[in-house]
């Protein structure tokens, strides 16, 4: 059984303009010891699907449907029989404990008026009941683990005294404090320079090897995915349009969106022409009935407008939702 | 492409900070002795980590900041000595596209007003000609004529960036400073904007200074590229030369950290990585600014600041190449 198994997850947000259907029935699974990438543009629902898992949706957000099985237990709010308190209580007991999250912007996630040490030991105090005498030692170990030099001094400092790369390392250390089974990293390197980014990615890979945690990496950067992930889900318009091993996605992409994405990404090692995808992503207040990509797809057919294609399995690991593969029978 | 449209010599932009009752007065040396040229109809790319001074350099060129020292020569004239009518003309020919299309468009003005405003300010053409120009510009950047009466919030990030491009084109500039024009946009939209900028350049013969930290995009659009570190240009070269044979240890490290969208390549690539963080621009190391992170640093690097010198077809500021 997978560590995290999501089935038919649907999340929407009520706004003045209407209900935004951010996540529209996605299913995915992540095992221990693997790094899985969720790739998509802004508004594709990649972050909101994971916020739904973490129970961190904003006030107006709601999980409408679907099951979220984490570590053998159902953690979708639907399964708490509308008992919000029980849900919150349970989520609080696992968040930062067995299930943790790394956020994009290290500055807004760290509390500016608390020292690094205070923030680092908080999950240990809350979840692990570690004696106060040992807390300091654990904090030093954690900072050392994420490669921060002179940890003793850093612990006494405040977030503003650290550089962006250091702050992101601190956030990773906090996420790792309780040796979680699963880490969800939401664009962990987007705010950082490439030089720092490369190191943070290496660090995440190393830590995965060491702890055997499952990792979900949410990103829009195909380069980051190529360097870190063994499996990939491609999201578009609130749906997963293609999934497969990294090699399957990069070397034999089947969905026109995946193909388009790969053709318009800058590869500094090649001199190929950039082929942009025309148009812009769909409006999720009134999403198209059929394939979300239909308006930008050069190979769109009549059926694409009306019906959403089902996922077709091309191999045990490679799946795609597109009428072209359905018809062509690849 | 033979005539330099922009010549920058020994440019310095320093900002004083602190200097309160108890605080010591300090100086941020954001741009520190930078010299380069941009040819007519050329795109000159500028890359570097955040805090290296590339945006400050761009803003100094368009006179948002006054340089502390050095000379900027634009279309054969010293920019520092311009005033009145000549300064107006300079501003008409030198325009800028900003990074964040959500912050650079006035939310209370319609798209038509936004694009027309530069012509109103510079008093170009009759009202009717301005209207016509606005609709032809909208078409140039790939928007519809009926977008004229809409407001910025009705548009997506990519469309907003098209609006700001149309606004800069309103004055038919000769030179545009593009300060990270695509980094706030999605991948599929980035390529649209890059292709648009390239098409405009071909049609109108404009020169660009293209600032970005996305090295892939810079390589794609630029003919020549300069790598900046802590306020200094450490290497300048033809774009494919710089990417295939980087000379300066910093350029090498920077390029080796770009993730390539190719899993097999990433598995086989040796990891050459930079240690440590970029030092504070308040306290730039003596000699070569990169020496604190450079694997080849010697005693000499601490004592003497290397100057840009010609090595092959590139220019590099490093003692290794003497």
């Amino acid at each position: 059984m997978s560590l995290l198994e999501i089935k038919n997850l649907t999340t929407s947000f009520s706004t003045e303009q209407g209900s935004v259907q951010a996540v529209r029935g996605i299913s995915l699974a992540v095992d221990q010891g693997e790094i899985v990438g969720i790739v998509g543009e802004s508004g594709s629902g990649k972050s909101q699907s994971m916020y739904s898992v973490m129970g961190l949706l904003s006030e107006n957000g709601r999980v409408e449907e679907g099951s979220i099985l984490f570590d053998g237990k159902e953690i979708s709010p639907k399964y708490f029989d509308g008992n919000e308190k029980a849900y919150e209580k349970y989520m609080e007991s696992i968040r930062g404990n067995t299930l943790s999250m790394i956020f994009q912007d290290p500055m807004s996630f760290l509390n500016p008026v608390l020292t690094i040490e205070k923030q680092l030991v908080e999950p240990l105090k809350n979840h692990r009941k570690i004696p106060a005498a040992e807390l300091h030692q654990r904090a030093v170990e954690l900072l050392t683990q994420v490669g921060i030099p002179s940890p003793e001094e850093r612990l006494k400092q405040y977030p503003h005294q650290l550089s962006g790369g250091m702050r992101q390392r601190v956030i990773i250390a906090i996420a790792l404090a309780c040796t979680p089974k699963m880490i969800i990293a939401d664009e962990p390197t987007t705010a950082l320079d490439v030089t720092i980014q490369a190191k943070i990615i290496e660090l995440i890979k190393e830590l995965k090897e060491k702890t055997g945690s499952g990792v979900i990496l949410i990103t829009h950067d195909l380069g980051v995915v190529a360097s870190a992930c063994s499996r990939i889900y491609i999201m578009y318009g609130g749906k997963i349009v293609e999934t497969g091993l990294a090699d399957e996605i990069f070397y034999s992409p089947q969905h026109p969106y995946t193909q388009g994405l790969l053709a318009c990404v800058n590869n500094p090692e090649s001199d190929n022409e950039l082929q942009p995808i025309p148009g812009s992503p769909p409006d999720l207040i009134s999403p198209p009935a059929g394939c979300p990509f239909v308006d930008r797809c050069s190979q769109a057919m009549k059926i694409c407008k009306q019906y959403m294609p089902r996922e077709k399995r091309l191999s045990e690991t490679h799946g795609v939702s597109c009428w072209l593969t359905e018809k062509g029978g690849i | 492409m033979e005539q330099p449209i922009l010549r920058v010599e020994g440019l310095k932009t320093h900002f004083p900070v602190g200097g309160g009752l108890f605080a010591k007065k300090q100086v941020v040396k954001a741009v520190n002795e930078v010299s380069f040229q941009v040819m007519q109809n050329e795109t000159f790319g500028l890359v570097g980590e955040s805090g290296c001074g590339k945006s400050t350099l761009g803003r100094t060129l368009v006179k948002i900041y006054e340089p502390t020292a050095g000379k900027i020569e634009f279309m054969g004239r010293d920019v520092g000595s311009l005033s009145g009518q000549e300064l107006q003309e300079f501003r008409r020919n030198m325009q800028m596209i900003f990074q964040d299309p959500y912050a650079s468009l006035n939310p209370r003005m319609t798209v038509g007003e936004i694009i027309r405003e530069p012509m109103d300010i510079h008093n170009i053409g009759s009202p009717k000609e301005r209207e016509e120009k606005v609709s032809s510009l909208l078409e140039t950047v790939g928007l519809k004529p009926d977008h004229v009466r809409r407001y910025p919030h009705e548009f997506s990030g990519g469309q907003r960036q098209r609006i700001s491009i149309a606004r800069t084109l309103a004055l038919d500039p000769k030179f545009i400073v593009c300060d990270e024009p695509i980094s706030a946009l999605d991948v599929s939209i980035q390529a649209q904007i890059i292709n648009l900028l390239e098409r405009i350049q071909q049609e109108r013969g404009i020169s660009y200074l293209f600032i970005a930290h996305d090295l892939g995009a810079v390589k794609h659009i630029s003919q020549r590229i300069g790598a900046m570190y802590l306020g200094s240009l450490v290497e300048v070269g033809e774009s494919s030369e710089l990417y295939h044979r980087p000379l300066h240890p910093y350029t090498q490290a920077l390029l080796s950290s770009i993730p390539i969208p190719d899993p097999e390549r990433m598995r086989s690539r040796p990891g050459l990585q930079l240690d440590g963080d970029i030092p504070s621009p308040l306290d730039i190391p003596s000699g070569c600014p990169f020496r604190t992170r450079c694997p080849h640093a010697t005693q000499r690097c601490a004592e003497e600041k290397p100057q840009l010198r010609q090595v092959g077809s590139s220019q590099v500021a490093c003692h290794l190449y003497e």
Side-chain angles (χ1 to χ4, degrees), chain A residues 5-312:
Chain A
E5 207 171 327
I6 300 174
K7 279 212 180 99
N8 197 27
L9 176 70
T10 305
T11 301
S12 70
F13 292 84
S14 55
T15 65
E16 274 174 35
Q17 286 82 38
S19 161
V20 178
Q21 297 166 39
V23 183
R24 303 194 290 145
I26 65 161
S27 302
L28 59 85
V30 180
D31 280 323
Q32 245 160 354
E34 67 170 349
I35 304 185
V36 171
I38 300 183
V39 181
E41 298 177 67
S42 43
S44 62
K46 58 188 193 304
S47 292
Q48 293 312 333
S49 58
M50 289 304 119
Y51 282 18
S52 309
V53 172
M54 297 291 300
L56 291 175
L57 291 174
S58 59
E59 288 279 287
N60 60 344
R62 218 166 75 90
V63 174
E64 305 277 356
E65 241 181 282
S67 109
I68 304 167
L69 221 54
F70 171 64
D71 204 13
K73 181 156 163 65
E74 179 59 54
I75 61 164
S76 161
K78 298 245 84 158
Y79 288 78
F80 285 78
D81 294 329
N83 187 344
E84 253 178 59
K85 273 205 175 130
Y87 172 68
E88 272 308 317
K89 198 162 173 229
Y90 182 72
M91 287 312 289
E92 258 168 41
S93 74
I94 62 169
R95 256 198 312 252
N97 187 5
T98 49
L99 178 64
S100 48
M101 187 151 189
I102 301 172
F103 295 88
Q104 172 173 2
D105 180 4
M107 203 50 205
S108 52
F109 177 74
L110 291 170
N111 188 333
V113 297
L114 294 181
T115 60
I116 301 300
E117 176 157 16
K118 281 234 168 69
Q119 308 192 42
L120 201 49
V121 299
E122 199 182 287
L124 290 171
K125 266 202 252 176
N126 291 348
H127 296 301
R128 288 289 140 97
K129 313 237 162 11
I130 288 181
E134 280 172 38
L135 280 175
H136 179 72
Q137 190 47 41
R138 284 298 299 274
V140 172
E141 280 168 25
L142 281 167
L143 283 195
T144 315
Q145 194 181 5
V146 296
I148 293 186
S150 47
E152 291 277 359
E153 282 148 51
R154 291 295 180 189
L155 282 176
K156 289 185 218 122
Q157 291 185 322
Y158 291 87
H160 76 269
Q161 292 168 294
L162 273 57
S163 68
M166 286 284 183
R167 284 185 211 134
Q168 197 55 286
R169 281 170 196 259
V170 169
I171 286 182
I172 294 176
I174 295 173
L176 289 173
C178 297
T179 20
K181 292 184 176 163
M182 172 105 219
I183 302 170
I184 297 175
D186 184 11
E187 308 249 6
T189 60
T190 308
L192 306 173
D193 279 312
V194 278
T195 49
I196 319 281
Q197 166 171 286
K199 287 182 156 178
I200 297 288
I201 297 293
E202 277 314 305
L203 177 66
I204 291 176
K205 275 158 73 178
E206 248 171 58
L207 293 171
K208 180 217 66 170
E209 287 302 321
K210 229 187 264 172
T211 60
S213 313
V215 180
I216 292 181
L217 191 63
I218 305 172
T219 181
H220 65 269
D221 187 333
L222 286 165
V224 168
V225 173
S227 52
C229 303
S230 51
R231 271 190 321 119
I232 299 168
Y233 291 93
I234 306 275
M235 272 190 87
Y236 188 82
K239 288 184 179 285
I240 290 175
V241 294
E242 186 164 3
T243 169
L245 299 176
D247 286 15
E248 288 168 334
I249 296 288
F250 277 92
Y251 303 129
S252 72
Q254 294 301 319
H255 199 281
Y257 176 63
T258 318
Q259 292 165 353
L261 208 54
L262 286 165
C264 71
V265 68
N266 281 297
N267 182 347
E269 293 193 342
S270 80
D271 294 309
N272 56 348
E273 277 287 295
L274 288 189
Q275 284 160 1
I277 307 174
S280 44
D283 174 13
L284 291 178
I285 290 180
S286 46
C291 171
F293 191 58
V294 62
D295 289 335
R296 302 172 80 185
C297 183
S298 59
Q299 304 165 69
M301 302 171 291
K302 220 174 176 181
I303 189 169
C304 304
K305 260 198 165 3
Q306 288 149 356
Y307 303 100
M308 177 67 200
R310 262 182 318 215
E311 182 182 64
K312 181 173 170 137

Side-chain angles (χ1 to χ4, degrees), chain B residues 188-207:
Chain B
S188 73
I189 311 294
Q190 286 185 358
Q192 291 177 4
I193 298 296
I194 288 192
N195 284 2
L196 173 65
L197 287 171
E198 282 185 328
R199 204 192 73 220
I200 289 169
Q201 180 170 51
Q202 278 158 17
E203 285 169 7
R204 300 171 176 237
I206 300 176
S207 312

Side-chain angles (χ1 to χ4, degrees), chain B residues 1-5 37-44 201 205-207 222-224 238:
Chain B
M1 240 194 77
E2 308 78 35
Q3 201 62 18
I5 184 166
Q37 297 179 349
V38 181
M39 305 295 160
Q40 231 146 36
N41 206 6
E42 182 190 40
T43 302
F44 186 85
Q201 180 170 51
I206 300 176
S207 312
S222 313
Q223 280 91 52
R224 283 189 309 136
E238 300 281 327

Side-chain angles (χ1 to χ4, degrees), chain B residues 144-163:
Chain B
K144 295 194 194 95
D146 62 305
H147 285 156
V148 164
R149 265 174 278 283
R150 298 222 211 145
Y151 287 88
H153 75 264
E154 299 173 62
F155 294 90
S156 65
Q159 286 174 316
R160 283 172 194 233
Q161 206 57 297
R162 287 173 192 270
I163 297 169

Side-chain angles (χ1 to χ4, degrees), chain B residues 155-226:
Chain B
F155 294 90
S156 65
Q159 286 174 316
R160 283 172 194 233
Q161 206 57 297
R162 287 173 192 270
I163 297 169
S164 46
I165 291 172
R167 175 178 60 185
T168 49
L169 293 178
L171 296 172
D172 295 313
K174 304 277 189 302
F175 195 103
I176 300 178
V177 173
C178 311
D179 188 5
E180 309 238 10
I182 55 165
S183 53
L185 308 175
D186 274 316
V187 199
S188 73
I189 311 294
Q190 286 185 358
Q192 291 177 4
I193 298 296
I194 288 192
N195 284 2
L196 173 65
L197 287 171
E198 282 185 328
R199 204 192 73 220
I200 289 169
Q201 180 170 51
Q202 278 158 17
E203 285 169 7
R204 300 171 176 237
I206 300 176
S207 312
Y208 292 133
L209 179 77
F210 193 90
I211 304 169
H213 65 258
D214 175 349
L215 296 119
V218 175
K219 183 199 173 207
H220 190 87
I221 195 170
S222 313
Q223 280 91 52
R224 283 189 309 136
I225 293 173

